[in-house]
Amino acid sequence: MNLSELTFDREGLAAAIACEDPAFEAELCEEAYRVKLANVGKEVYLRGLIEISNICVKDCLYCGIRKDIHCQRYELSEDEVLASARLAAQRRFGSVVIQGGERTDPAFVRKITRLLKAIKEIEPAEDGDRPLGITLSLGEQPREVYEEWFDAGAHRYLLRIESSNPDLYHKIHPEDQLHSYDRRIRALYDLKAIGYQAGTGAMIGLPFQTAGDMADDLLFYKEFDAPMVGMGPYNPHPDTPLTLSGIGYPSAERRFALGLKMIALLRLLMPDINIASATALEVMDPLGRERGILSGANVIMPNITPEEQMVKYNLYDRKTIRSDINTLLSQITIGYGKWGDSKHCSAQHHT
Ligand code: SAM
Ligand code: SF4
């Protein structure tokens, strides 16, 4: 296959995803990088990632911090979260992401509300920088909770749909109301209706997943009109039911190549959105996130969780995670001190 044969319908996208020719994959990533430069420029935006807790009420079959797994649990104190947020402001990251296991208990909900208000008070490091922008990634919540957090200062929310194929979704989650595909989609639309920049994404290279499923994921982002997408390779955790089931999945090399290819195809499909270069890429290759940028992504989330707790947020084997960015690559220019909202958002707001 070559680039001139690529079409953006389901069949064309699936053919591109299934094609394992390295020359085609390299050509595709180069083209996506060109399209990125033309549409969103060279700048890469940073979001300091704060992993607030690995306590979760859910039991997703692939996740290393699922409720039923044996691991050491932690929850950052409010002071620890604020210290990390101050660090992000000092380093001029522009915004932070608070991510964690799903919890809907009132004590946790109120804690997030207090933190949002306190983070909004943090002084920017330089004149002209905006106060920190805040993205949340805390799973499915009742609409009133999303509203409370929006009113307290969160303006972006990342809720991956994990897979746009309901059958596949149900194969990788327990069968109960807490893990319902419809509930997750509803939550995503609630976020959008409230006014959040609602980002989504899916895992790449899952057991059972076909090239057609991945093509449908891309078309889902387009249909949802996502201003931001964070998708990344599936990384098996040894103690999860999905890994222990022994069901096969693509090799690490293939999942990595698929991760880059999905970024590239999405950049061609939605030229002006924000696309994150996922942490999962970095775990597979020390320069994985930078390679994601060179394939069309424009957001990086350096991890600023205190190190002692970071190691416990063990979704999968993450020994290589870094909080710095390799700025040696001449192609990367960091958008310091900026929120880095997607051009797509401003285009939406002006119409
Ligand atoms: N609990 C929230 C949720 O599920 O939306 C946010 C935190 S959760 C750990 C963030 C993301 O981690 C999930 O959306 C999932 O895609 C990803 N994840 C979990 N286990 C993974 C694995 N084994 N490989 C790759 N990504 C994984
Ligand atoms: Fe909990 Fe999120 Fe992991 Fe599912 S993916 S078990 S909701 S932390």
Side-chain angles (χ1 to χ4, degrees), residues 56 62-65 99-102 137-139 158-160 162 184 203 233-237 280 313 315-316:
C56 188
Y62 45 83
C63 178
I65 61 170
Q99 188 180 83
E102 192 170 304
S137 178
L138 299 168
L158 186 57
L159 187 75
R160 285 183 170 181
E162 316 300 1
R184 195 140 183 109
M203 283 178 285
Y234 162 64
N235 275 328
H237 180 292
Y313 197 82
L315 308 182
Y316 38 77

Side-chain angles (χ1 to χ4, degrees), residues 124-278:
E126 292 200 9
D127 290 348
D129 285 1
R130 288 174 91 176
L132 286 173
I134 312 175
T135 306
L136 294 178
S137 178
L138 299 168
E140 292 154 51
Q141 302 286 339
R143 190 176 168 134
E144 311 78 75
V145 171
Y146 286 151
E147 281 166 348
E148 177 175 323
W149 289 346
F150 186 74
D151 293 342
H155 75 294
R156 292 193 278 241
Y157 203 105
L158 186 57
L159 187 75
R160 285 183 170 181
I161 46 153
E162 316 300 1
S163 168
S164 61
N165 174 348
D167 290 337
L168 174 54
Y169 187 92
H170 288 296
K171 282 183 180 144
I172 60 171
H173 293 93
E175 265 178 64
D176 61 33
Q177 264 316 300
L178 202 56
H179 300 84
S180 140
Y181 176 81
D182 291 344
R183 182 174 176 259
R184 195 140 183 109
I185 297 287
R186 211 177 315 122
L188 193 56
Y189 278 93
D190 278 350
L191 288 163
K192 192 183 214 178
I194 291 166
Y196 283 96
Q197 290 173 34
T200 190
M203 283 178 285
I204 299 165
L206 284 161
F208 311 107
Q209 194 178 36
T210 65
D213 290 332
M214 286 183 256
D216 283 337
D217 292 343
L218 295 171
L219 294 171
F220 175 86
Y221 308 143
K222 178 94 176 156
E223 189 201 315
F224 181 67
D225 201 19
M228 124 187 131
V229 172
M231 52 184 175
Y234 162 64
N235 275 328
H237 180 292
D239 303 327
T240 56
L242 198 57
T243 306
L244 294 170
S245 70
I247 297 159
Y249 47 84
S251 68
E253 197 182 48
R254 194 86 298 269
R255 279 178 284 123
F256 184 79
L258 279 170
L260 297 182
K261 185 151 63 175
M262 289 291 279
I263 289 175
L265 287 169
L266 182 60
R267 177 58 71 198
L268 299 181
L269 195 63
M270 302 183 78
D272 63 353
I273 66 167
N274 276 346
I275 304 178
S277 190

Side-chain angles (χ1 to χ4, degrees), residues 78 81-82 98 109-123 131-132 134 136 147-154:
E78 292 183 37
V81 174
L82 289 174
I98 300 180
V109 171
R110 298 296 102 74
K111 174 175 172 172
I112 297 297
T113 304
R114 281 193 302 278
L115 279 169
L116 289 166
K117 291 180 179 164
I119 291 172
K120 283 280 149 206
E121 297 297 314
I122 295 175
E123 290 284 329
L132 286 173
I134 312 175
L136 294 178
E147 281 166 348
E148 177 175 323
W149 289 346
F150 186 74
D151 293 342

Side-chain angles (χ1 to χ4, degrees), residues 292-339:
I293 297 296
L294 299 181
S295 304
N298 68 327
V299 171
I300 289 184
M301 305 205 278
N303 199 319
I304 52 168
T305 310
E307 206 152 316
E308 186 194 334
Q309 314 291 19
M310 193 195 289
V311 290
K312 298 180 199 151
Y313 197 82
N314 200 18
L315 308 182
Y316 38 77
D317 181 3
R318 311 197 304 170
K319 282 189 207 75
T320 56
I321 295 225
R322 292 172 299 134
S323 63
D324 62 320
I325 322 288
N326 189 330
T327 43
L328 296 176
L329 281 179
S330 58
Q331 287 91 333
I332 294 185
T333 308
I334 306 284
Y336 282 110
K338 298 188 183 171
W339 277 19

